Amino acid sequence: MTLSLHISPCPNDTFMFDALVNGRIDCGDLRFEVEYHDIEALNRAAAEGRADITKISYAVLPGIREQYALLDSGSALGRGNGPLLVGRAGASHPVGSVAVPGLHTTAHALLRRLHPELHDLRPLLFSEIAGAVARGEVDAGVLIHEGRFVYRRQGLELLDDLGLSWEQTTGLPLPLGAIVMRHTLPPELRRRVEELLRRSIAYARAHPDASREYVRSHARELDDRVIDAHIALFVNDYSLSLGADGRRAVEELTGIAPE
């Protein structure tokens, strides 16, 4: 059986799925046709029900829950890993225009929740935001993925760590990205995929060099130190299973209590 799988090219996704899609673990008769898309494109595709299994921003979970079920494994959820609001060093603040990595992303939802005073929010591809801020095209930007590790190279400064502000407000880890699967597929198949993904993540964590070539082939930032820091931050025990804290965090952000 072949299942369509949509994920992002960011290091945490390719790291987690490497063993699953590249034959490092036994998937039996299951095969996966993989497509790679920016997170905002993934969110739009999920709303249209295009893939059997897909990565999404947690912020869109309420809107797709009739089509997709949340998997217990594969989440990007944790502490100290939230989006960063940055501006040019020495620029006047508070800010006016803010670039966000899509209007359906968790980063956008979090910014609106924590900074309701900001109204001029402009969607840009996540990899273009730091440059737009540095060039003065917008006053500030919300960085995700590799951008949060390298923004100082472009003369930018931190205005707010949105993940830290979330943690201080709620006491919970921050749910960023999730893996979901079609409701129309059999529950036993969903449980099987969930366990295969858990095994794939465990394999990657036990053999971190095995996935390096695959991860680098899709990463936008090729510095191994940045890639390793990205994976260490976003792939953790919550990726193996949400657990009680993770479920509470998802409910706090989305209003949905995971099964």
Side-chain angles (χ1 to χ4, degrees):
M1 181 179 187
T2 300
L3 298 171
S4 57
L5 170 64
H6 291 186
I7 59 176
S8 85
C10 66
N12 56 296
D13 277 12
T14 50
F15 179 79
M16 289 192 297
F17 279 92
D18 170 63
L20 183 79
V21 303
N22 291 317
R24 303 189 202 282
I25 61 172
D26 183 5
C27 294
D29 62 344
L30 289 184
R31 298 293 181 269
F32 300 90
E33 290 184 349
V34 188
E35 292 184 16
Y36 306 91
H37 301 282
D38 163 70
I39 186 61
E40 185 71 340
L42 290 170
N43 290 333
R44 290 195 300 267
E48 298 171 5
R50 293 185 196 170
D52 295 320
I53 306 163
T54 184
K55 168 77 170 281
I56 61 161
S57 296
Y58 263 109
V60 304
L61 184 61
I64 64 165
R65 62 183 306 192
E66 298 303 318
Q67 295 169 281
Y68 288 98
L70 173 65
L71 297 190
D72 185 56
S73 54
S75 284
L77 185 153
R79 298 181 185 275
N81 64 354
L84 304 181
L85 178 64
V86 303
R88 292 184 304 286
S92 59
H93 303 298
V95 300
S97 57
V98 182
V100 295
L103 298 180
H104 303 288
T105 60
T106 303
H108 174 254
L110 195 60
L111 182 70
R112 290 180 60 85
R113 177 169 176 157
L114 296 173
H115 290 280
E117 75 280 7
L118 298 176
H119 301 290
D120 187 3
L121 307 182
R122 306 179 186 183
L124 283 180
L125 184 65
F126 76 92
S127 57
E128 298 176 355
I129 290 176
V133 178
R135 292 187 297 271
E137 295 168 6
V138 289
D139 296 319
V142 179
L143 302 183
I144 60 173
H145 299 331
E146 297 98 320
R148 70 188 316 282
F149 298 101
V150 298
Y151 65 91
R152 289 187 177 88
R153 297 179 188 173
Q154 294 175 277
L156 306 181
E157 64 180 26
L158 181 66
L159 303 180
D160 187 16
D161 183 327
L162 301 179
L164 180 59
S165 294
W166 161 272
E167 291 174 39
Q168 292 173 339
T169 301
T170 67
L172 294 167
L174 175 63
L176 293 168
I179 305 299
V180 295
M181 188 167 172
R182 287 188 194 277
H183 272 305
T184 53
L185 293 168
E188 58 271 20
L189 179 60
R190 188 164 68 240
R191 288 190 292 270
R192 184 180 172 193
V193 169
E194 194 172 66
E195 180 56 30
L196 285 173
L197 178 52
R198 189 173 290 117
R199 285 173 50 201
S200 183
I201 297 166
Y203 184 96
R205 295 177 80 186
H207 306 87
D209 289 334
S211 63
R212 188 165 299 277
E213 182 178 349
Y214 177 60
V215 171
R216 282 178 59 85
S217 70
H218 294 283
R220 294 180 182 270
E221 171 60 56
L222 296 179
D223 186 323
D224 281 339
R225 292 170 297 179
V226 173
I227 290 174
D228 290 345
H230 185 121
I231 291 169
L233 191 60
F234 292 103
V235 182
N236 51 42
D237 288 346
Y238 291 114
S239 304
L240 293 170
S241 177
L242 288 173
D245 275 356
R247 288 181 171 84
R248 283 194 294 270
V250 171
E251 185 171 11
E252 175 67 25
L253 182 73
T254 68
I256 297 172
E259 299 174 6

